[in-house]
């Protein structure tokens, strides 16, 4: 493809993803993404702090398995408003409804791209250790938003209330580019004080120690282990009840904490 053809291809992919149900869509470069904060930081921080475990791919925690022919990343976001909490509820071991929507969009988009263009796609798992990538960094580099003080992706349209998925493609596509968007700069950051486990209460990582300026929580004050304590408590607090359309018999429903996400004033309904 020449540049004009690639530009038309990228535009068609973005439009198709939205037609399939994506709320936001962006494209970034694999090589540039490898230089993003989470990818460069993950190998440096203690085991257990990167949100993943040892994989069966021979990689350490936080290390990403990149296909050699992958050139671009297509990132899709699906809005998750406060008024629809069930999108993120786990029914037993089933994927939450929101995840199912994202998986379907990704699958349908992948099939469409491969049928329309001579481009191979790699649909990515959500978890790093199962073949995924750091989605927030990919979304930020694709122009969907920025990383906020709550260590989440903040979009202008929906704030942090989005769920993400991505795929790799074997064509070097024009990128959608980053946004000059930083709502956290003048914000009073209610997200930092609402956390029940005080996951933002102290500086854990320093710029000198880690060799980079962008750190978890932007300034190095986000503790994933503390956040994980809340997740374990949420799992223990799961209730059994029947769910119409899912199970006639009572099933365990897990509702994970969204306090820092829902306290963000950006993108309110």
């Amino acid at each position: 493809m020449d540049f004009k053809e690639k530009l038309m291809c990228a535009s068609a992919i973005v439009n198709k993803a939205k037609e399939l149900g994506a709320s936001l869509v962006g494209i970034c470069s694999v090589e540039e993404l490898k230089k993003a904060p989470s990818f460069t930081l993950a190998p440096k921080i203690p085991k257990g702090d990167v949100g993943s475990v040892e994989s069966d791919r021979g990689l350490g925690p936080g290390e990403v398995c990149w296909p050699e022919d992958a050139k671009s990343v297509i990132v899709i976001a699906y809005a998750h408003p406060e008024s629809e909490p069930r999108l993120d509820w786990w029914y037993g071991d089933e994927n939450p409804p929101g995840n199912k929507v994202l998986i379907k969009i990704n699958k349908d988009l992948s099939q469409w791209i491969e049928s329309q263009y001579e481009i191979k796609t790699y649909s990515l798992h959500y978890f790093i250790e199962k073949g995924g990538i750091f989605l927030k960094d990919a979304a930020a580099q694709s122009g969907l938003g920025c990383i906020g003080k709550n260590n989440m992706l903040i979009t202008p349209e929906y704030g942090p209330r989005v769920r993400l998925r991505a795929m790799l493609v074997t064509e070097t596509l024009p990128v959608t580019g980053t946004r000059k968007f930083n709502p956290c700069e003048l914000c009073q950051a209610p997200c930092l004080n609402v956390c029940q486990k005080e996951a933002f209460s102290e500086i854990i990582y320093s710029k000198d120690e880690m060799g980079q300026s962008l750190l978890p929580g932007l300034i190095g004050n986000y503790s994933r282990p503390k956040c994980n304590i809340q997740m374990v408590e949420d799992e223990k607090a799961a209730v059994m009840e029947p769910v119409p359309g899912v199970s006639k018999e009572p099933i365990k429903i897990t509702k994970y904490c969204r306090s820092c996400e829902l306290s963000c004033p950006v993108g309110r309904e």
Side-chain angles (χ1 to χ4, degrees):
M1 290 186 190
D2 59 24
F3 181 75
K4 183 177 180 181
E5 290 172 325
K6 290 182 179 183
L7 196 61
M8 292 175 64
C9 174
S11 177
I13 288 171
V14 169
N15 290 335
K16 185 63 178 181
K18 290 182 178 179
E19 178 187 317
L20 291 170
S23 304
L24 302 170
V25 191
I27 301 172
C28 67
S29 156
V30 166
E31 289 307 310
E32 289 302 311
L33 184 57
K34 289 178 180 179
K35 305 172 189 175
S38 293
F39 294 89
T40 56
L41 183 69
K44 305 174 188 176
I45 63 179
K47 181 178 177 179
D49 285 16
V50 291
S52 63
V53 296
E54 296 284 355
S55 75
D56 56 5
R57 298 166 179 256
L59 301 172
E63 293 183 345
V64 174
C65 181
W66 297 98
E68 289 185 7
D69 56 350
K71 298 291 190 289
S72 302
V73 187
I74 300 169
V75 186
I76 59 174
Y78 186 65
H80 183 189
E82 188 173 359
S83 59
E84 297 185 46
R86 290 175 177 79
L87 287 177
D88 203 36
W89 290 359
W90 284 82
Y91 299 108
D93 294 326
E94 271 197 38
N95 258 307
N99 283 4
K100 289 182 178 179
V101 171
L102 282 165
I103 290 169
K104 186 176 188 320
I105 294 172
N106 224 27
K107 180 181 178 181
D108 291 347
L109 183 62
S110 172
Q111 293 175 343
W112 182 83
I113 291 172
E114 294 194 351
S115 69
Q116 295 292 315
Y117 306 97
E118 293 183 1
I119 298 175
K120 183 179 180 181
T121 66
Y122 294 93
S123 292
L124 301 174
H125 199 282
Y126 181 79
F127 294 106
I128 302 293
E129 68 272 15
K130 295 183 179 180
I133 61 175
F134 291 102
L135 291 169
K136 291 181 295 186
D137 292 64
Q141 284 216 356
S142 300
L144 303 193
C146 67
I147 307 299
K149 290 180 179 178
N150 58 4
N151 205 51
M152 303 182 75
L153 176 77
I154 312 294
T155 68
E157 298 87 350
Y158 309 104
R161 292 167 288 279
V162 294
R163 295 292 174 263
L164 301 170
R165 208 82 182 192
M167 73 173 70
L168 305 177
V169 297
T170 57
E171 182 62 70
T172 303
L173 297 172
V175 300
T176 46
T178 57
R179 290 189 185 186
K180 291 183 178 180
F181 172 69
N182 183 10
C184 296
E185 190 173 16
L186 302 176
C187 182
Q188 295 299 309
C191 56
L192 303 188
N193 300 315
V194 74
C195 179
Q196 298 179 56
K197 295 297 175 283
E198 299 184 338
F200 302 93
S201 61
E202 58 183 326
I203 298 295
I204 304 170
Y205 312 106
S206 71
K207 296 179 183 179
D208 292 338
E209 178 187 9
M210 295 300 164
Q212 63 185 63
S213 58
L214 290 177
L215 301 166
L218 300 184
I219 59 173
N221 66 330
Y222 170 64
S223 169
R224 185 174 294 279
K226 287 183 179 180
C227 188
N228 286 344
I229 292 172
Q230 182 63 51
M231 293 184 70
V232 171
E233 290 183 4
D234 293 338
E235 290 164 2
K236 290 180 179 178
V239 296
M240 299 288 293
E241 59 183 81
V243 182
V246 177
S247 174
K248 294 180 180 179
E249 300 298 323
I251 188 171
K252 183 173 71 172
I253 304 176
T254 306
K255 306 173 185 179
Y256 288 109
C257 176
R258 296 177 67 196
S259 295
C260 63
E261 177 185 347
L262 298 181
S263 67
C264 179
V266 183
R268 287 285 185 195
E269 292 177 84

